[in-house]
Amino acid sequence: MSAVLAAGPLVNGQVPLGEAIAFWILGPISLAGAIGMVLLRNAIHSALSLVATMMCLGAFYIIEQGPFLGLVQIIVYTGAIMILFLFVLMLVGRDASDSIVETLRGQRWAAALFGIGFALMVALGVGRAFTGERPVNLDKPNVDGGNVTSVAELLFTKYLFAFELTSALLIVAAVGAMVLAHIEREGRKPTQKSLARERIRSGRPQPLPGPGVLSTGNSIGTAALLPDGTISQESVMAGLQEFPPDTGNPRALDPADYGDSEVRQ
Amino acid sequence: MSHLAVLAAGQNLPGFGNQPFWISLIKVVAVFAFLVIMTLFSIVFERKVVGRMQNRIGPNRTGPWGVLQSLADGVKLAFKEEIIPALADKPIYFLAPILSATPAFVAFSVIPFGPEVSMFGHRTALQLTDLPVGVLVVFACSSLGVYGIVLSGWASGSTYPLLGSLRSAAQMISYEVGMGLSMVAVFLFSSSMSTSQIVAAQSHTWYIIPLFVSFAIYAISVVGETNRAPFDLPEAESELVGGFHTEYSSFKFAMFFLAEYINMVTVSALATTLFLGGWRAPWPLSLWHGANSGWWPMLWFTAKVIAIIFAFVWLRGTLPRLRYDQFMAFGWKMLIPINLVWILAVTSIHVLRDRNWPAWEATIVPLAFVLLLIVVPGLMIWEGAAARRAGQDAEDEEDAAQERPTFPTPPMDLTIPTPPRRLATASVSRPAAELPGTRSEVDTDG
């Protein structure tokens, strides 16, 4: 069985059994991933479908005797680029589903029309390019761990110009992104020391008092009580001040009970 | 993915791909068992060693010397109640632990445990499979493991896990760059990316000796990659409760735990393979002729892996956690530039050796060039910037000293008067003012 499963040489375009099995498992998964990416409403689910498709593509490359290409596909696209996408999507928030309101009239029909047209064009182009082509076994160029070497050789000889041009484009894009996102800092970056000094100088080196945890409630709106039973205004969050703060214990001590009846804010 | 690797591997590397199906199956089970046992072992090992480092005994109740503690914990975890937060995104919440644990297992399929041995009459290498780009399989698996952590944090629908997963996404991508770059020098030296051939290329010298810089950078970046202390920011328990796995319980939590420890074993095994000679016997043992054949190498391999795990535990027992921005700055501004310069030097050495330069000159000339043209000017610029910063800080300090503080502080030139004799004797043995320079000459016998 394993002898059949091992990727044997292609004879007149006949596909080995192992390759066929892998194709018929991974093909539907990658298609489902692509469709799911378009149809799913939640942005994260959509991104994950794309990840599934990319992983399947990586596996396809490995089956098609391009292990280096396949693994680089997984490392770069799934491992780096899609993680960055997820990073951004997670910052957007978990309920950021797509709105289905059409902002431009007839946009959906136009998009569908152009989409189908583009798909047909690509399918025809690719289909024509491959008619009459014989699939070739890559054992010969791959000999002696040569997958990496052959890719490198092509990149640095025949396609050197395109390769360098692409890298220049990427660098320009990266620098552009940095320039667009860069914010000039006003003044110097505060150090730990200067922050500590500021804090002491502010007159309040300690943090603001937390909300009260009393027998009647422990919500964030519950004000903390000072030792004399009055409410500590500082313990109430800025936005909550319009709500009547929970005074907690109704039998809070009256300030007048103390000889020193200084009521603090 | 591993079975696909098996499918495709046959073309290039002799010894793999044409092994019988049942031998592959035995190897798969063996690798699985090895990883699970190593996980159980390293949890107890870590608790024991950290305990000793903190002058405690560590777990000693379950089994002889407490060795069965993690087994008991594992069983307990599996039977615990499973709590799913109401706001959780169910499908992804379920998927995340699986995505975290599976790649951890798959990565081990290309790690060589030993040379060819005879197994039920078949000659076969002690390695599940190998690819011409074997090391990249481990790399790909570690980059897929990030998904488990990132998605678990997001799917929990809770703040702390989300923060943990955001941190880990940024952290693992950053440290993966350093890790990948540190492997480049090994690829150059062994002119291969397959794990078995890298081990074969180290029959003379282990790569830790010529490539020590790469080894150091690899060792640092895998600590970040596996989220271990002092780089355990995604699960920083003093900041984020439990980080990405705060909302997980029962078996799902166990999966994360398992994945973390398997990842630790995997990166240790990869460090052994890339830099420490793989399964080859260390020096005094290698004098014995049979040390590098048969089943013995598995022992050396495991011993090396455990030694590296000990270093992991040692780090955890010694260093405090880094602040997040310091941690990122360290990765991007220190590890990666040093790595790039080092690769430049290594490549030049390699090219000169290929052109038949004598070994010494081929080593010294590129190193001298790199030192003179890159390292020294870089250090000078850095020193200049540091000096400028220090000067500005000193200026600020002076300005600050001029300002009158609003907080009630005593004047800087305060002198404390000597207390009168009567007072000093009254306060039994503690003089009121015991400050250097103002020490009272009162006899404080009574």
Side-chain angles (χ1 to χ4, degrees), chain A residues 5 7 44-45 48 51 55 62 71 75 78 82-83 86-87 90-91 94 139 142 148 188 193 197 201, chain B residues 7-8 11-12 87 89 92 133 137 139-140 144 147 150-151 154 157 166 173 392-393 396-397 400 406:
Chain A
L5 275 176
I44 298 258
H45 294 172
L48 279 180
V51 169
M55 294 222 358
I62 295 175
L71 287 171
I75 293 168
T78 11
M82 286 314 291
I83 283 279
L86 279 183
F87 186 82
M90 290 196 311
L91 286 176
R94 46 184 285 113
D139 267 353
N142 270 352
V148 187
R188 294 202 3 247
K193 202 170 183 179
R197 197 187 292 124
R201 207 158 269 142
Chain B
L7 285 180
Q11 311 134 23
N12 301 315
L87 281 177
D89 188 308
I92 296 185
V133 286
V137 174
F139 200 55
L144 288 183
Y147 275 97
V150 169
L151 293 177
W154 178 80
L166 282 178
I173 289 178
Q392 270 175 342
D393 277 353
D396 280 7
E397 202 83 353
T406 57

Side-chain angles (χ1 to χ4, degrees), chain A residues 1-2 5-7 18-19 22 26 42 44-45 48 51 55 59 62-63 65-68 71-72 74-84 86-91 93-95 137-139 142-148 188-189 191-194 197 200-206, chain B residues 1 3-8 10-12 17-21 87-89 91-92 95 99 131-134 136-137 139-141 143-144 146-147 150-151 153-158 162 165-167 169-170 173 176 193 197 323 325-326 389 392-393 396-397 400-401 403-407:
Chain A
M1 161 126 177
S2 63
L5 275 176
E19 204 177 314
L26 292 175
N42 189 310
I44 298 258
H45 294 172
L48 279 180
V51 169
M55 294 222 358
I62 295 175
I63 298 169
Q65 298 176 311
F68 178 70
L71 287 171
V72 166
I74 291 176
I75 293 168
V76 174
Y77 282 92
T78 11
I81 294 179
M82 286 314 291
I83 283 279
L84 282 180
L86 279 183
F87 186 82
V88 175
L89 289 177
M90 290 196 311
L91 286 176
R94 46 184 285 113
D95 290 324
N137 189 5
L138 290 181
D139 267 353
N142 270 352
V143 81
D144 192 22
N147 189 241
V148 187
R188 294 202 3 247
K189 190 182 174 187
T191 58
Q192 217 162 3
K193 202 170 183 179
S194 68
R197 197 187 292 124
I200 291 293
R201 207 158 269 142
S202 71
R204 171 186 271 289
Q206 73 272 39
Chain B
M1 207 183 69
H3 71 282
L4 293 175
V6 177
L7 285 180
Q11 311 134 23
N12 301 315
N18 52 5
Q19 54 196 4
F21 182 68
L87 281 177
D89 188 308
I92 296 185
L95 193 66
L99 272 182
L131 283 170
V133 286
L136 293 189
V137 174
F139 200 55
C141 288
S143 67
L144 288 183
V146 188
Y147 275 97
V150 169
L151 293 177
W154 178 80
S156 296
S158 166
L162 183 69
S165 67
L166 282 178
R167 277 184 182 191
I173 289 178
E176 233 161 51
M193 288 193 199
Q197 283 171 20
R323 212 173 65 199
D325 60 325
Q326 290 170 337
R389 244 195 330 269
Q392 270 175 342
D393 277 353
D396 280 7
E397 202 83 353
E403 283 177 44
R404 205 180 147 69
T406 57
F407 212 66

Side-chain angles (χ1 to χ4, degrees), chain B residues 181-182 184-185 188 211 213-214 217 332-349 366-379:
Chain B
L181 285 177
S182 64
V184 170
L188 284 173
L211 300 176
V213 179
S214 291
I217 293 173
W332 285 103
K333 295 181 185 169
M334 291 272 293
L335 293 185
I336 293 176
I338 292 175
N339 222 331
L340 289 174
V341 171
W342 172 244
I343 290 173
L344 192 68
V346 168
T347 318
S348 328
I349 293 172
L367 279 183
F369 262 97
V370 164
L371 271 179
L372 286 178
L373 292 182
I374 300 176
V375 177
V376 171
L379 280 180

Side-chain angles (χ1 to χ4, degrees), chain A residues 1-25:
Chain A
M1 161 126 177
S2 63
V4 188
L5 275 176
L10 288 170
V11 187
N12 295 331
Q14 225 177 5
V15 182
L17 179 64
E19 204 177 314
I21 293 173
F23 176 80
W24 286 112
I25 293 173

